[in-house]
Amino acid sequence: MKNCLAAIILILSFCSTKLYAQEIDTIPINTKDLNIKLKRSPLPSRQGPLNFEPVKIKPLVVNAKINYWKTRTNIGININQAQFSNNWKGGGTNSVAVGGLLNWKAEYNKDSYSYVSELVLQYGKIKNKDQLQKKTNDRIFWDNKASFQLSKSWFFFGSLSFESQFDNGYSYSVTNGQETATLISKFMGPGYLTESIGFEYKPVKYFSTRIGTGTARQTFVLDEKLFLDPVDNTKPPKATVFGVEYGKKVRNELAFQIVSAFDKDIFTNTNLKARYQMFIPYQDFKMSNIDHRLDVALTAKINRFMNTSLTGVLLFDKDTGTNKIQANQTLALGFGFTFPR
């Protein structure tokens, strides 16, 4: 048996070398005189044809809807208070100040279409001892914009915005130790409604610029009291208030408008938000007639519920009755809530 195996190995080696040279894959081997026994497999075997039947799988239905809307609401409350005893020699005035902020934003995005609606409500008051109450903040601003994407960074847009204030606005003077208030503004005195169409450039998510080549603005002064002298009603009324002529309630303007917006976390838990608006009436297209407004808000989050904010506004608008730049600034520490978190 050993001799037979050795012979087989020798034959296979010779044939493999020869066939390798001739590039033949197989060779016949005569197993007639070889005592080769094959063990039977212990596994059961099946004879006959195999039948395959398709298995029906019930489709799984997922009850889910795609939500193209994203909403976010920020609520801020600021309270400042100072109290001094009657014998306090360092000087000071008892005061209480309260301020509130609501910022709501909704976005819809689907394919090349988008819609953004943003509502900003601000109001604050301060009361010093032996003085009249005064506003520290008062604004209603609602902006709506629909756009269609033309390329990677350019959009065609249409927008509608409204701006006014909640409460009466006064100027204050002191005569013979008596403080008096003079009404200078109120709700819808003025009020602004602006419609605009044009092109928007948005190279990154946190910055955009609208170029409103077709812009219309209506300025409202609905109360005639703003035209009259508050002390002597017999005096002739003012010719214009906020650009609206006496005897009218609305002023219409066609203009070219640019609106730039920036909103980004510049540091950890620190957000910078800015909005610049430029308005040039077509009727009197001069550099000296350009209206400018810049709103800046820097908000730093202290913890989950507390934050500090620094806000400011720069405004240049001759229709408000002054040829100088107007400014206001507010520094506040308070509570802030964001939904959804």
Side-chain angles (χ1 to χ4, degrees):
M1 183 64 181
K2 292 182 179 180
N3 294 334
C4 291
L5 292 174
I8 291 172
I9 293 172
L10 181 62
I11 293 172
L12 290 174
S13 300
F14 174 77
C15 293
S16 299
T17 304
K18 186 175 180 182
L19 289 173
Y20 179 78
Q22 297 179 2
E23 298 182 357
I24 298 176
D25 295 335
T26 59
I27 58 172
I29 298 176
N30 188 4
T31 59
K32 183 179 180 181
D33 298 328
L34 299 179
N35 187 15
I36 299 175
K37 294 182 179 180
L38 299 176
K39 293 184 178 181
R40 185 175 181 179
S41 174
L43 299 176
S45 61
R46 180 177 177 178
Q47 297 179 354
L50 297 177
N51 296 324
F52 296 94
E53 295 182 0
V55 178
K56 295 182 179 181
I57 300 176
K58 187 178 180 180
L60 180 63
V61 178
V62 179
N63 188 16
K65 295 182 179 180
I66 299 176
N67 188 5
Y68 298 101
W69 286 94
K70 285 196 325 182
T71 60
R72 191 174 183 86
T73 304
N74 296 318
I75 300 175
I77 301 173
N78 305 312
I79 301 175
N80 300 304
Q81 184 266 343
Q83 186 75 30
F84 302 90
S85 63
N86 293 331
N87 60 348
W88 181 259
K89 301 302 182 182
T93 301
N94 298 343
S95 65
V96 177
V98 179
L101 166 67
L102 172 65
N103 192 332
W104 175 82
K105 187 175 183 180
E107 294 184 57
Y108 175 87
N109 291 283
K110 184 179 180 182
D111 301 328
S112 299
Y113 300 93
S114 66
Y115 170 75
V116 179
S117 180
E118 184 173 8
L119 176 65
V120 179
L121 305 177
Q122 295 175 307
Y123 188 77
K125 267 199 169 184
I126 185 172
K127 177 64 173 73
N128 295 326
K129 184 180 179 181
D130 300 327
Q131 295 181 14
L132 298 175
Q133 294 184 16
K134 299 177 177 67
K135 290 194 300 183
T136 58
N137 216 337
D138 190 2
R139 190 187 188 201
I140 303 172
F141 178 72
W142 188 24
D143 183 58
N144 299 271
K145 182 197 68 174
S147 61
F148 175 77
Q149 188 170 11
L150 301 175
S151 64
K152 181 180 179 180
S153 302
W154 285 94
F155 299 78
F156 179 78
F157 82 91
S159 67
L160 174 67
S161 64
F162 170 77
E163 184 170 5
S164 189
Q165 62 192 51
F166 289 100
D167 202 358
N168 294 345
Y170 297 92
S171 63
Y172 299 90
S173 61
V174 179
T175 304
N176 298 326
Q178 183 68 30
E179 186 177 26
T180 58
T182 302
L183 180 68
I184 57 175
S185 64
K186 62 188 311 181
F187 176 73
M188 294 303 289
Y192 301 98
L193 185 65
T194 306
E195 309 88 22
S196 182
I197 59 172
F199 299 92
E200 181 182 35
Y201 177 63
K202 192 173 183 179
V204 288
K205 186 177 181 180
Y206 55 85
F207 174 78
S208 65
T209 297
R210 303 183 203 173
I211 304 173
T213 53
T215 301
R217 183 174 73 178
Q218 294 81 46
T219 304
F220 298 88
V221 178
L222 302 184
D223 194 341
E224 290 189 356
K225 292 181 181 179
L226 296 174
F227 292 90
L228 304 178
D229 190 286
V231 179
D232 188 358
N233 293 333
T234 61
K235 290 184 178 181
K238 300 175 185 177
T240 61
V241 172
F242 299 106
V244 179
E245 297 179 359
Y246 177 69
K248 297 182 179 179
K249 297 182 181 297
V250 183
R251 178 191 182 190
N252 291 290
E253 294 177 281
L254 295 177
F256 175 82
Q257 186 183 55
I258 293 179
V259 178
S260 295
F262 181 91
D263 188 353
K264 185 182 180 183
D265 291 339
I266 56 175
F267 305 112
T268 303
N269 296 329
T270 303
N271 177 266
L272 175 62
K273 188 173 184 179
R275 187 178 190 271
Y276 169 73
Q277 176 179 305
M278 182 181 71
F279 186 88
I280 313 175
Y282 283 130
Q283 185 178 0
D284 196 1
F285 202 88
K286 297 179 181 179
M287 295 297 293
S288 59
N289 291 329
I290 301 177
D291 297 339
H292 303 272
R293 181 181 176 114
L294 175 64
D295 294 80
V296 180
L298 182 65
T299 305
K301 189 175 181 180
I302 299 175
N303 55 36
R304 184 177 179 182
F305 297 110
M306 296 187 66
N307 60 46
T308 181
S309 62
L310 176 64
T311 60
V313 178
L314 292 176
L315 174 66
F316 179 81
D317 186 351
K318 289 183 177 180
D319 292 333
T320 59
T322 177
N323 293 330
K324 296 182 180 180
I325 297 176
Q326 304 172 60
N328 73 52
Q329 174 267 324
T330 304
L331 176 63
L333 173 66
F335 300 94
F337 306 91
T338 302
F339 308 97
R341 298 199 61 82

